[in-house]
Amino acid sequence: MQLFHSNNGKKSLIIFFSGWALDFSSFAPQFSSEHDLLFVWDYRNTDFTFDFSSYSKIISISYSYGVFMSQFVDLPQLKENIAINGTPYPINKTYGISPKMFELTLKTLNKKTIEKFYKNMFLTTDQYDQFTKINTYKPTITALKDELENIKNLANTEQKNLRAYTKAIISTNDRIFPSKAQLEYWKTASNTKTLEISSGHFPFIANNMKDLIFNG
C-alpha cells in the first residue's frame, strides 16, 4: 500500500482508503484542513505502517475496493467507519462484483479498457472530463493487474471478524460495483445506516460528498 499524509496539525484524522486504479489526487479536493488526512491506495500488497498515537479522533472512509482492503489494516478505535460504493466482499455473486466480470476485467486489461473503466465511473461526459483534470495518477497496466491479482487472492481467503460500519453510501446508478449487490450486503449489517444517492460509481464530482459523509 502507498500512503500520503497531509498534516494540518489537528488532533482528528480522516483515513481514506481509495478504490482500485485511483490515488489521492481525485479525492483530496473534497476534504478541507479541518482534519489531518491519510490517503491509502495501491493494493498490490497489504503493507501498512503509520503511527496513530497523536490523534484523539479517527474517522475511516473507504471507497469501492478500499472497503475490502481496509479490513487488512490494523486500525485503532474509530469514531466513525464509512463505506462508499463498496462492500467487504469485492468478488461475489451476491454482495460484490460478479466473478465473471472480475475475470473479464483482469484478462482484457489494457490502456483502452482502463479508459473505459474510468468513463463508466460517471453518468455524464462532463463529469468524466472534470475527473481527468484532477486525476494525476498514471499507474502501469502491469501494476493494475498485480493489484487485481492480490485482491483476488485475498478475496479467496476466509474473512473473519469484519469491521463494523457506521454508515454506507450507495450510488443508485453504479455501473462498476452494482448497486443491488451493495444494498443486499448492507441489509445484513443491521447497525449500519445506509444512504442512497443519485450518482455513478465515482460520486465525488457530482455530489458534495463532504456534507453527505458527515451530515447525511
Side-chain angles (χ1 to χ4, degrees):
M1 294 181 179
Q2 295 191 55
L3 281 67
F4 173 72
H5 183 214
S6 177
N7 189 341
N8 300 308
K10 305 298 183 180
K11 287 296 183 181
S12 58
L13 175 74
I14 291 176
I15 176 170
F16 188 97
F17 292 89
S18 175
W20 172 71
L22 297 164
D23 70 349
F24 64 92
S25 61
S26 304
F27 304 98
Q30 280 285 336
F31 299 98
S32 66
S33 59
E34 296 175 13
H35 310 268
D36 280 10
L37 303 170
L38 179 64
F39 292 96
V40 185
W41 74 99
D42 186 358
Y43 302 129
R44 287 177 289 178
N45 56 60
T46 57
D47 298 342
F48 182 98
T49 302
F50 187 79
D51 183 5
F52 293 100
S53 62
S54 62
Y55 294 104
S56 58
K57 181 173 78 171
I58 299 172
I59 296 170
S60 176
I61 302 170
S62 49
Y63 166 70
S64 192
Y65 272 1
V67 178
F68 170 66
M69 292 303 299
S70 69
Q71 304 292 326
F72 296 91
V73 174
D74 186 16
L75 295 177
Q77 184 175 355
L78 300 174
K79 178 70 173 179
E80 291 188 72
N81 190 25
I82 300 165
I84 302 173
N85 289 341
T87 76
Y89 293 90
I91 311 168
N92 188 281
K93 289 181 179 179
T94 305
Y95 298 139
I97 292 174
S98 74
K100 183 178 180 179
M101 182 58 68
F102 181 91
E103 290 296 339
L104 181 64
T105 301
L106 182 57
K107 183 178 180 180
T108 62
L109 194 65
N110 56 41
K111 289 183 178 180
K112 186 175 181 178
T113 58
I114 189 62
E115 182 180 1
K116 183 178 179 181
F117 168 81
Y118 286 134
K119 288 181 177 179
N120 282 338
M121 295 195 304
F122 303 94
L123 299 182
T124 69
T125 301
D126 180 62
Q127 291 171 12
Y128 171 70
D129 289 342
Q130 290 182 59
F131 166 77
T132 59
K133 291 177 182 178
I134 61 173
N135 177 44
T136 61
Y137 190 42
K138 305 297 179 185
T140 65
I141 296 300
T142 298
L144 292 176
K145 284 185 176 180
D146 289 346
E147 197 173 352
L148 287 179
E149 288 284 5
N150 188 48
I151 290 170
K152 177 182 175 180
N153 291 335
L154 292 171
N156 286 331
T157 62
E158 184 180 1
Q159 296 184 65
K160 298 179 179 179
N161 302 318
L162 292 174
R163 190 176 290 119
Y165 285 82
T166 52
K167 183 189 294 184
I169 299 175
I170 304 158
S171 289
T172 55
N173 296 292
D174 196 325
R175 295 185 227 172
I176 303 296
F177 203 115
S179 308
K180 182 180 179 181
Q182 295 180 55
L183 290 167
E184 284 298 317
Y185 175 75
W186 295 115
K187 284 179 185 177
T188 71
S190 58
N191 293 324
T192 303
K193 176 183 177 181
T194 56
L195 175 65
E196 295 180 51
I197 60 174
S198 179
S199 179
H201 182 64
F202 191 94
F204 300 89
I205 296 291
N207 297 271
N208 182 357
M209 289 305 294
K210 180 182 175 183
D211 185 59
L212 291 171
I213 288 168
F214 295 107
N215 302 314

